[in-house]
């Protein structure tokens, strides 16, 4: 049984690992191959700060909330394991700030210690009159993706540095299942008008005195278009850009100034921090995550495709729940193939 | 008295902050800091600088609370300013955990720190050996940044600083009008205060930048305090020990205890071991005294004996000491029989 995974970001690698972990024992002939034109540290997942946090406004999708919870619980369970540091996994607390009271988020009971920001704390953030404080997790892509790659390599999974232009390209070769984790460029494989880039830009600075994430919200400008500060293990990420439909991966001077000015206003001491990098990436935005099977007819062959893309700005937040769901879809494909392979006759 | 000459003896957090307060409350004073040690060789440089107060048995609680509140308010404003990183002041959140529920669920300082609340069941799962806990957000003074920043502020006021070992306070009577004694552990010898005793603390300073929270065992012996560049792991409280040499067995023990609270510390790098003697006393001595010999008087203000709580109350006691200096000046101005060389 050959499975081709397209995409080596957090979704592709974690789905591959999840499937291999669950099915390799049952199916020793299982061969997994990962195809991607970009590997760590050049994927979208590598640029993301790595904070576990779903959008503040519920998209009304219970399924996504469940996948987010599954991911949080899975990561929390790994927090004390020896692998945590290598995975880039650690606890982090911080603030979500608003200009007016808002309903509690769907994830308030998933994170730890969720509470409102006190009036005294709000003195630190002039212009914001309401907020949340909670403890969540960081999972840094720069560490997590290499960790996933090592686990997969140990399991004999092969990697191919190749831009896949069509499903036929991989499925024609005796591949039974294709796992489509191609993120923002899934539209190149199969048109999907619902999938759009949500362009983001970030500035990386050295500000090791910052121990909390600070995420501001502005209902008028929309998600991620308001300044945010997320301290990582090596540098702090300053951001606050979300441009729907913009495919540019070039850093923009205008966006740089907007991020810098707004973050320094939030935390004046940042003015003295040293800038060590800048990056632009394309969030694979979609009204809902596409996680479903599709049978694709290619000539006289039929290939099963499992789509797993469109995770917007919450890929790391939701990845493991989606990987498990993809593995369940894989399981149902296996069952069907076994049923077809079984000779007809009375069942024992 | 046009320009009273004030000598502050001691250049740890108490000496420097007291000197700074004096320049603020008495701009006409000429302030000089004298110390045999300056940062990075003071006791303050070893301390983690966490704003979690120590309770002094013989100081009234309302006074300790006032000291802590003044200190917290002062540092809170700095943490929120452009100066924060240079001054080494930053907010940090975390947990104080107890193996058995403490008698006092809400310590006197719980309404001064931010967001103080009992930990939830889910949060306590991270600490399987502990039954109860408190979550809050407080401030940390990263030494030596803070001391260097205090020195810089002092220099800007025109205050002078000299390396000098003062053998007895009286030796300063001819050069200075008022002496402020902020000698910490040095007061044991300098003024013969037998109520002052060392409580030895050994700590490790490690590189573990993924640790973003403080964790403190309510017994005060095991703690993890993330600073700007290093995480302080502690510690010990050895009453009466004067040894300033690191003990390797203690290092191993501290590391093990901290790893059991935070397993990821196994990956910590570049372990540095430090020792400090907390200048401990049943109550902090913030008090005026007048030394006299042969008809000559020397007003002294004492500000020492902060033990484990120096950073937590430093600004509050500095304010009080500066106020006492003001009283000394008034007394001197009122007196007509002071002869000066």
């Amino acid at each position: 049984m050959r499975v081709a995974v397209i995409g080596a970001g957090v979704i592709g690698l974690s789905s591959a690992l999840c499937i291999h972990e669950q099915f390799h024992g049952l199916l020793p002939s299982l061969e997994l191959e990962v195809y991607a034109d970009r590997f760590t540290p050049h994927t979208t997942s590598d640029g993301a700060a790595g904070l576990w946090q779903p959008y503040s406004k519920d998209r009304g999708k219970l399924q996504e909330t469940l996948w987010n919870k599954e991911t949080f619980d899975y990561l929390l369970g790994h927090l004390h394991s020896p692998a945590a540091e290598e995975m880039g996994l650690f606890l982090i607390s911080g603030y979500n700030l608003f200009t007016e009271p808002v309903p509690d988020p769907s994830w308030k009971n998933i994170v730890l210690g969720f509470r409102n920001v006190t009036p005294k704390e709000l003195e630190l953030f002039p212009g914001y009159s309401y907020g949340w404080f909670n403890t969540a997790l960081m999972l840094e892509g720069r560490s997590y993706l290499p960790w996933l790659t090592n686990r997969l390599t140990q399991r004999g999974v092969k990697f191919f540095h190749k831009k896949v232009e069509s499903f036929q390209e991989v499925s024609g070769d005796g591949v039974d299942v294709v796992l489509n984790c191609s993120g923002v460029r899934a539209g190149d494989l199969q048109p999907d008008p619902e999938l759009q880039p949500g362009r983001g830009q970030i500035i990386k600075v050295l500000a090791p005195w910052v121990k909390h994430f600070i995420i501001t919200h502005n209902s008028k400008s929309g998600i991620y278009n308001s300044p945010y500060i997320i301290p990582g293990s090596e540098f702090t990420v300053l951001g606050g850009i979300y441009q729907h439909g913009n495919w540019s991966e070039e850093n923009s001077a205008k966006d740089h100034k907007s991020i810098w000015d707004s973050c320094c206003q939030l935390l004046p001491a940042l003015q003295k921090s040293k800038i060590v990098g800048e990056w632009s990436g394309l969030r694979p935005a979609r009204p809902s995550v596409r996680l479903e099977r599709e049978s694709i007819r290619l000539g006289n062959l039929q290939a099963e495709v499992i789509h797993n893309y469109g995770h917007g700005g919450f890929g790391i937040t939701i990845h493991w729940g989606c990987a498990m769901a993809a593995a369940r879809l894989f399981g149902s494909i296996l069952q069907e193939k076994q049923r077809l392979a079984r000779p007809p006759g009375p069942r024992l | 008295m046009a320009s009273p000459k004030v000598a502050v003896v001691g250049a740890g957090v108490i000496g420097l902050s007291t000197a700074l307060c004096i320049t603020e409350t008495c701009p006409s004073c000429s302030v000089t800091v004298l110390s045999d040690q300056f940062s990075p060789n003071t006791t303050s440089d070893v301390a983690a600088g966490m704003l979690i107060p120590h309770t002094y048995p013989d100081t009234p609680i309302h006074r300790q609370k006032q000291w802590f509140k003044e200190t917290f308010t002062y540092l809170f404003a700095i943490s929120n300013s452009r100066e924060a990183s240079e001054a080494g002041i930053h907010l940090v959140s975390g947990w104080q955990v107890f193996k058995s529920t403490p008698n006092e669920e809400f310590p006197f300082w719980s309404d001064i720190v931010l967001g103080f609340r009992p930990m939830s069941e889910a949060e306590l799962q991270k600490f399987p050996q502990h039954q109860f806990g408190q979550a809050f957000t407080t401030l940390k003074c990263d030494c030596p940044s803070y001391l260097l920043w205090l020195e810089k502020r002092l220099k800007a006021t025109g205050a002078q600083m000299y390396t000098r070992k003062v053998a007895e306070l009286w030796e300063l009577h001819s050069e200075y009008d008022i002496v402020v004694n902020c000698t910490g552990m040095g007061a044991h010898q300098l003024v013969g205060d037998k109520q002052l005793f060392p409580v030895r603390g050994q700590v490790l300073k490690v590189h573990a930048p993924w640790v973003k929270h403080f964790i403190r065992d309510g017994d005060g012996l095991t703690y993890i305090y993330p600073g700007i560049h290093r995480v302080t792991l502690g510690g010990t409280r050895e009453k009466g020990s004067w040894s300033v040499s690191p003990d390797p067995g203690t290092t191993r023990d501290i590391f093990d205890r901290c790893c059991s609270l935070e397993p990821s510390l196994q990956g910590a790098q570049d372990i540095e071991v430090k020792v400090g003697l907390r200048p401990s006393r049943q109550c902090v001595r913030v008090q005026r005294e007048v030394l006299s010999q042969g008809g000559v008087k020397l007003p002294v203000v004492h500000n020492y004996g902060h033990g484990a709580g120096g950073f937590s109350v430093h600004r509050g006691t500095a304010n009080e000491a500066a106020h006492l200096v003001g009283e000394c000046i008034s007394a001197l101005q009122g007196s007509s029989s002071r002869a000066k060389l």
Side-chain angles (χ1 to χ4, degrees):
Chain A
M1 157 80 59
R2 276 179 68 203
V3 176
V5 180
I6 306 176
V10 67
I11 300 299
L13 298 183
S14 61
S15 304
L17 185 63
C18 199
I19 286 173
H20 203 273
E21 279 177 349
Q22 286 187 30
F23 295 99
H24 187 255
L26 300 168
L27 209 60
S29 67
L30 180 64
E31 266 179 56
L32 236 58
E33 293 155 358
V34 175
Y35 293 82
D37 59 353
R38 297 196 203 177
F39 285 90
T40 180
H42 306 293
T43 71
T44 308
S45 309
D46 290 287
L51 178 67
W52 186 100
Q53 186 169 299
Y55 290 168
S56 53
K57 279 212 194 84
D58 198 351
R59 304 206 316 165
K61 290 159 179 77
L62 182 63
Q63 183 62 263
E64 288 181 5
T65 303
L66 290 173
W67 287 334
N68 290 333
K69 176 172 164 55
E70 207 174 338
T71 307
F72 192 88
D73 292 344
Y74 166 76
L75 293 174
L76 198 62
H78 273 75
L79 200 57
H80 284 185
S81 82
E85 200 214 321
E86 207 194 322
M87 285 165 81
L89 177 65
F90 54 91
L91 281 175
I92 187 166
S93 295
Y95 301 91
N96 276 279
L97 303 169
F98 303 86
T99 52
E100 70 208 331
V102 294
D104 290 344
S106 61
W107 40 269
K108 71 180 264 207
N109 293 322
I110 302 175
V111 296
L112 301 172
F114 183 93
R115 61 168 174 86
N116 282 351
V117 175
T118 62
K120 186 84 190 287
E121 289 171 306
L122 283 169
E123 283 176 33
L124 293 165
F125 311 114
Y128 295 96
S129 58
Y130 189 82
W132 308 324
F133 179 94
N134 65 267
T135 301
L137 292 162
M138 282 283 280
L139 184 63
E140 296 183 309
R142 286 177 353 266
S143 299
Y144 189 48
L145 262 53
W147 183 83
L148 287 169
T149 306
N150 288 339
R151 302 284 76 68
L152 288 166
T153 305
Q154 273 170 7
R155 287 170 163 274
V157 172
K158 303 269 185 301
F159 292 83
F160 298 90
H161 192 167
K162 181 179 187 193
K163 182 171 167 70
V164 173
E165 307 280 7
S166 67
F167 293 128
Q168 281 92 313
E169 209 184 300
V170 289
S171 65
D173 218 8
V175 162
D176 306 282
V177 179
V178 177
L179 198 43
N180 177 19
C181 305
S182 45
V184 76
R185 281 162 297 134
D188 292 349
L189 290 169
Q190 187 187 86
D192 182 351
E194 290 194 293
L195 178 69
Q196 289 288 316
R199 182 182 173 280
Q201 184 165 321
I202 53 142
I203 304 174
K204 299 177 195 173
V205 301
L206 292 180
W209 64 90
V210 179
K211 306 291 181 192
H212 298 94
F213 61 80
I214 302 171
I215 302 174
T216 66
H217 300 263
N218 183 327
S219 53
K220 276 175 272 162
S221 41
I223 190 84
Y224 297 132
N225 252 336
S226 193
Y228 61 81
I229 298 165
I230 301 175
S233 61
E234 281 175 51
F235 52 77
T236 296
V237 170
L238 310 183
I241 299 289
Y242 187 101
Q243 293 153 351
H244 202 76
N246 186 347
W247 282 97
S248 170
E249 290 178 79
E250 300 287 307
N251 293 322
S252 135
K254 181 168 177 236
D255 290 340
H256 172 100
K257 182 164 163 48
S258 163
I259 296 166
W260 183 257
D261 290 348
S262 60
C263 287
C264 285
Q265 191 175 44
L266 202 47
L267 273 191
L270 283 175
Q271 287 165 71
K272 300 212 176 158
S273 69
K274 184 176 169 203
I275 296 178
V276 293
E278 192 137 8
W279 178 82
S280 297
L282 308 175
R283 301 174 184 88
R286 206 173 181 275
S288 62
V289 172
R290 187 177 184 199
L291 183 37
E292 63 189 4
R293 273 176 65 180
E294 190 182 1
S295 297
I296 292 197
R297 186 116 250 147
L298 304 156
N300 43 8
L301 289 170
Q302 182 163 292
E304 294 300 313
V305 179
I306 298 173
H307 297 286
N308 187 3
Y309 68 84
H311 305 81
F314 50 91
I316 284 161
T317 300
I318 205 173
H319 81 277
W320 192 252
C322 289
M324 294 289 276
R328 285 192 289 276
L329 289 176
F330 182 77
S332 63
I333 294 174
L334 271 189
Q335 275 190 320
E336 282 164 24
K337 287 202 190 288
Q338 282 179 348
R339 220 176 291 136
L340 289 171
R342 200 178 287 130
R347 293 244 203 110
L348 284 165
Chain B
M1 177 162 296
S3 181
K5 297 207 284 289
V6 181
V8 176
V9 187
V13 68
I14 300 303
L16 295 181
S17 58
T18 302
L20 193 58
C21 273
I22 294 168
T23 65
E24 289 165 14
T25 56
C26 175
S28 64
C29 282
S30 130
V31 177
T32 306
V33 176
L34 305 169
S35 182
D36 61 352
Q37 300 292 350
F38 282 81
S39 178
N41 299 314
T42 70
T43 306
S44 301
D45 290 284
V46 180
M50 285 294 290
L51 255 63
I52 299 178
H54 168 80
T55 302
Y56 303 99
D58 290 353
T59 303
I61 291 289
H62 75 266
R63 197 169 170 215
Q64 296 186 51
K65 188 166 176 174
Q66 183 59 26
W67 285 341
F68 182 58
K69 188 163 184 203
E70 280 174 28
T71 307
F72 196 92
T73 303
Y74 174 71
L75 295 174
F76 186 74
I78 298 172
S79 78
N80 199 19
S81 76
R82 268 181 62 111
E83 307 265 342
S85 59
E86 198 195 329
I89 309 297
H90 61 94
L91 280 178
V92 60
S93 296
W95 309 281
Q96 179 166 238
V97 291
F98 299 82
K99 292 202 165 100
S100 53
T101 309
N103 291 331
E104 204 187 31
E105 276 191 36
F106 290 92
F108 76 81
W109 42 269
S110 58
D111 59 346
I112 299 171
V113 297
L114 306 170
F116 186 97
R117 60 178 172 78
M119 283 166 75
S120 63
E121 281 303 316
E123 288 174 300
L124 278 166
Q125 301 231 349
K126 188 173 144 54
F127 305 103
Q129 288 157 11
H130 296 76
Q131 307 272 357
F132 178 82
Q134 299 153 338
F136 56 94
T137 301
T138 187
L139 291 160
K140 187 178 188 299
C141 295
D142 220 70
C143 247
S145 303
Y146 186 53
L147 260 51
L148 290 177
W149 181 81
L150 285 173
E151 284 180 27
K152 187 175 165 186
R153 295 278 306 269
L154 270 170
K155 282 190 191 130
T157 69
Q160 305 281 306
M161 282 176 273
Y162 298 107
T163 302
R164 174 174 167 175
K165 173 109 186 124
V166 173
E168 44 170 356
L169 294 180
W170 187 255
E171 79 185 51
L172 302 171
H173 80 273
S174 56
E175 301 161 73
Y176 300 96
D177 303 309
I178 299 165
V179 171
V180 186
N181 172 22
C182 303
T183 52
M185 208 57 240
H188 189 269
Q189 173 113 44
L190 188 62
V191 300
D193 185 345
K194 301 303 172 211
Q195 288 177 57
L196 185 67
F197 55 93
V199 174
R200 181 184 183 278
Q202 183 162 321
V203 292
L204 315 182
K205 307 239 178 190
V206 309
H207 180 75
W210 61 88
V211 175
K212 307 288 185 192
H213 297 90
F214 71 81
I215 304 172
R216 180 179 201 269
D217 192 308
D219 68 10
L221 285 174
T222 308
Y223 50 84
I224 297 161
Y225 293 144
I228 294 181
H229 299 291
R230 322 276 282 151
V231 182
T232 300
L233 308 185
T236 64
R237 293 184 193 272
E238 298 154 277
K239 192 171 165 180
S241 167
W242 287 88
S243 165
V244 291
S245 310
D247 178 81
T250 303
T251 297
R252 180 84 245 155
D253 179 56
I254 292 171
F255 191 73
D256 289 345
R257 284 189 273 123
C258 287
C259 285
S260 75
L261 275 184
E262 177 54 70
S264 71
L265 283 171
Q266 292 287 352
Q269 302 283 311
D270 299 333
I271 297 174
E272 255 186 279
V273 190
K274 301 233 161 162
V275 177
L277 305 179
R278 300 175 184 85
S280 308
R281 218 169 171 275
Q282 294 289 97
C283 62
V284 182
R285 190 179 184 198
V286 188
Q287 195 176 52
R288 277 171 70 183
E289 187 185 359
V290 180
L291 302 181
S292 67
Q293 269 187 42
V296 181
K297 293 194 202 302
L298 177 62
V300 172
V301 173
H302 296 286
N303 188 8
Y304 68 85
H306 300 73
F311 277 90
S312 296
V313 298
H314 78 274
R315 180 75 183 183
T317 57
N319 281 337
E320 204 175 301
H323 180 76
L324 292 178
V325 168
E327 285 182 6
C328 292
I329 293 171
S330 304
L332 283 173
Q333 283 166 343
S335 131
S336 54
S337 60
R338 175 94 167 85
K340 288 197 297 185
L341 285 165

